[in-house]
Amino acid sequence: MTINIKSSIAYNFAAPTDFLLQMEAAAIPEQVLTGPGLTFSPTEHTARVAGEDAIGERIWLRCSGEFRAEYEISAEINRALPDISRLPSMLPHELPGEAVPYLFDSRFCPADQFHSFVEAEFGNLQGGERVAAIHDWVARKFSYTPGSSTATTTALDSFVERQGVCRDYAHVVITMIRASGIPARYVSCYAPNVEPQDFHAVAEVFLADPDGPVGTGSWHLVDATEMADRSMIVKIGVGRDAAEVSFLTSYGMADFIDKQITVTVD
C-alpha cells in the first residue's frame, strides 16, 4: 500500500523574518519515502536541524516577501500494529530516558489537572486497557467541529467544550494518558480519509513490550478522531504538544496566503 502526499503552503513576510518549517515526512525505519520531496522559494538562509527524538527535520529559513513551499512524496508504511488494549504499561522508574519527558505537563496538556477525573473514570483499568478506554471516551464524548478552537486552546478548554479538531483531540488524549502515569506525545502527520483534508495530529503512547525484558517498550499511535488508520499514518514529527511540531513557526509577522493538502492511497 502506497500513501501519496502532495502539500503546499504560502505566506507573506513584510520584513526579513526567521521561521521554522516542518512539513516533510520523517525518514524513519517504519516509513520508506520516495519522490521529488520539498521545494521552496529562494531564501536568505537555510539550515536543517533534527526534530524532537530525531524524528523528522525542521528547516530554519529567513526571507521577506512571498514564500511558497511545495512537497510531494510517496510512503510505504511498515509498523507493528498490536492490540494496544493488551499491552502493559511500565512503572515510572522502569521507563527509558526517551520516554520520561512525555510524562510531564506541557503548554497545552495540563495533566496535573486531570488526575482526579482519570482515576474516577478509568481507575479500574491499567496500561493499554486504560489507553483504549480513554480513546473510546474521547471519541464518544467529543464532536469534531472545525473552527471551534484556536491556536491557544488547551486540553482543559477542549475537555470543557467537548469539541475541537484533531489537534484538540490529541491534546485531550495525551493529557489524560499522562495523568495516568503513561508517557504520551503529540504526532504531526499526514493521513488519508481526513475530512477536511489537512495536516493531521494524533497521540502516541509508550507501552511495554510484554515479551521483552523489563524496561523495553515502544510507541503506539492513537487517533480519537477515528479518521486515520494506524497503518496509513505518515509521521512528520513529534513533541510534547502542538507547539513543538507546528508546520510553520514564525519569529516575526507572517500573513497566511494559502495551504493545500492531498493524501491518497494506491
Side-chain angles (χ1 to χ4, degrees):
M1 185 181 300
T2 303
I3 314 301
N4 302 303
I5 298 162
K6 291 184 179 181
S7 62
S8 65
I9 61 170
Y11 281 80
N12 187 71
F13 300 94
T17 303
D18 291 331
F19 57 98
L20 277 170
L21 181 69
Q22 190 171 10
M23 61 185 290
E24 298 170 289
I28 52 179
E30 67 192 68
Q31 46 194 48
V32 178
L33 310 175
T34 57
L38 179 69
T39 59
F40 49 81
S41 306
T43 60
E44 298 176 23
H45 175 81
T46 303
R48 288 182 173 271
V49 293
E52 297 298 317
D53 296 343
I55 295 177
E57 289 185 325
R58 301 182 177 103
I59 308 176
W60 272 119
L61 298 165
R62 180 176 176 84
C63 76
S64 60
E66 185 173 303
F67 171 83
R68 290 185 176 272
E70 296 185 355
Y71 182 60
E72 184 174 353
I73 207 80
S74 294
E76 299 283 346
I77 306 300
N78 181 25
R79 67 170 57 99
L81 299 169
D83 181 351
I84 290 176
S85 68
R86 296 182 178 274
L87 300 179
S89 57
M90 296 182 186
L91 294 173
H93 73 269
E94 296 173 342
L95 291 168
E98 68 176 88
V100 172
Y102 299 104
L103 288 173
F104 304 149
D105 281 15
S106 59
R107 177 178 175 184
F108 295 112
C109 300
D112 62 342
Q113 298 182 50
F114 281 74
H115 290 302
S116 296
F117 173 80
V118 297
E119 286 307 310
E121 189 73 26
F122 310 109
N124 61 322
L125 304 173
Q126 302 297 321
E129 192 175 10
R130 181 181 288 205
V131 171
I134 289 171
H135 164 279
D136 293 347
W137 189 94
V138 175
R140 185 174 68 254
K141 298 288 187 179
F142 275 56
S143 171
Y144 192 92
T145 310
S148 62
S149 60
T150 71
T152 63
T153 299
T154 69
L156 183 58
D157 298 327
S158 301
F159 177 78
V160 171
E161 296 294 330
R162 296 288 202 272
Q163 62 180 353
V165 294
C166 60
R167 170 188 186 275
D168 309 303
Y169 277 65
H171 282 159
V172 174
V173 169
I174 290 165
T175 302
M176 290 187 183
I177 291 171
R178 287 182 191 166
S180 302
I182 300 171
R185 65 189 183 187
Y186 184 99
V187 181
S188 63
C189 59
Y190 295 104
N193 303 317
V194 172
E195 294 293 341
Q197 185 68 73
D198 204 338
F199 292 104
H200 195 47
V202 300
E204 196 168 37
V205 303
F206 193 85
L207 294 168
D209 178 357
D211 300 318
V214 173
T216 59
S218 54
W219 291 98
H220 302 277
L221 297 165
V222 179
D223 183 13
T225 72
E226 300 189 325
M227 289 191 290
D229 185 315
R230 291 188 296 159
S231 67
M232 293 188 284
I233 289 173
V234 182
K235 295 180 183 177
I236 298 172
V238 302
R240 291 179 300 167
D241 57 33
E244 295 188 344
V245 277
S246 171
F247 66 87
L248 189 143
T249 304
S250 176
Y251 293 85
M253 295 299 296
D255 294 321
F256 174 75
I257 299 174
D258 186 45
K259 176 177 60 174
Q260 300 289 332
I261 313 291
T262 304
V263 184
T264 59
V265 182
D266 285 345

